[in-house]
Amino acid sequence: MVKANLTVLALIIGAFFIPLSLTGCTESEESAGETRVFEIDNTEEVFGRADEQEVTVKKHYMILNPPEDLVELKELVEKYGKNHRIEGEVQGTGTKSRVFYMYFYRESDDLPRDWQPDESYLNTDRLEHHKNDLIASITWSDADPEKKYHSYNKSKEGKILKRMYFIEDRLVQ
């Protein structure tokens, strides 16, 4: 009887632990290498004083598993920019023109996917402290609507190994 109870207990434990251990083996979207782009919360910047002629809009994004090929990276941010337009979010007032910047960062130990700016008294952590992880950008304005794309291949420490600069679809350098 005791042997039968131990066998049943072992089967019950096995029935619970085997599926649980196998769920850890399945790949998530991020670990499978799928590329994903999303806006980093609480990082949008809009500024321009009343006496200035421009309003500047800066938005910041994270790319999970970015492509290593710089042309593919440019195409990824270009497609993202077309699908997530920011021009309508800030209206020019009167004679003011608007300048737009979209910055794209890679995930790293210093800049995890759930990163948030920190303005606490003893600790300040802003996006400008993470330029090592900036891998692409788009710039344009109302006055010059041609979009300029920069894409970078950087070492883990942030040293630029290769860069490409495009104006629309023309490779400039």
Side-chain angles (χ1 to χ4, degrees):
M1 183 72 170
V2 172
K3 189 174 183 181
N5 287 339
L6 286 176
T7 305
V8 170
L9 182 63
L11 288 173
I12 292 172
I13 291 172
F16 284 108
F17 285 113
I18 290 173
L20 286 175
S21 64
L22 291 176
T23 55
C25 295
T26 60
E27 291 186 343
S28 69
E29 176 181 303
E30 287 79 19
S31 66
E34 186 174 321
T35 301
R36 195 176 86 178
V37 182
F38 58 91
E39 186 173 356
I40 302 172
D41 291 334
N42 305 312
T43 60
E44 178 181 19
E45 302 169 83
V46 179
F47 49 91
R49 294 190 321 247
D51 60 341
E52 294 177 332
Q53 295 300 311
E54 287 183 347
V55 174
T56 301
V57 179
K58 294 183 179 182
K59 297 197 79 152
H60 305 273
Y61 304 88
M62 171 87 55
I63 302 177
L64 302 179
N65 302 307
E68 291 185 22
D69 181 73
L70 296 183
V71 174
E72 287 180 33
L73 180 59
K74 181 260 185 191
E75 291 169 353
L76 173 70
V77 300
E78 180 180 29
K79 181 179 178 185
Y80 189 84
K82 286 179 181 176
N83 292 335
H84 299 86
R85 297 200 172 274
I86 64 174
E87 291 96 330
E89 295 179 17
V90 176
Q91 301 299 322
T93 56
T95 60
K96 287 190 178 191
S97 64
R98 301 169 299 169
V99 180
F100 300 98
Y101 297 90
M102 294 176 78
Y103 295 111
F104 297 85
Y105 300 83
R106 65 184 175 192
E107 181 181 31
S108 70
D109 292 338
D110 291 332
L111 190 65
R113 67 186 66 184
D114 60 351
W115 180 88
Q116 285 293 288
D118 185 359
E119 296 286 336
S120 62
Y121 179 68
L122 295 174
N123 184 28
T124 302
D125 189 12
R126 299 182 190 131
L127 272 173
E128 58 258 25
H129 302 149
H130 298 280
K131 293 293 184 191
N132 289 347
D133 294 314
L134 178 67
I135 57 171
S137 67
I138 308 172
T139 355
W140 73 100
S141 70
D142 290 334
D144 182 13
E146 267 191 326
K147 292 188 176 167
K148 294 161 186 69
Y149 299 88
H150 293 269
S151 53
Y152 306 97
N153 183 353
K154 292 185 175 181
S155 69
K156 188 173 184 179
E157 298 77 31
K159 181 180 178 193
I160 296 173
L161 304 173
K162 185 177 180 184
R163 78 176 79 194
M164 295 184 99
Y165 172 55
F166 297 87
I167 297 177
E168 294 294 338
D169 287 332
R170 291 186 323 267
L171 176 63
V172 177
Q173 58 185 28

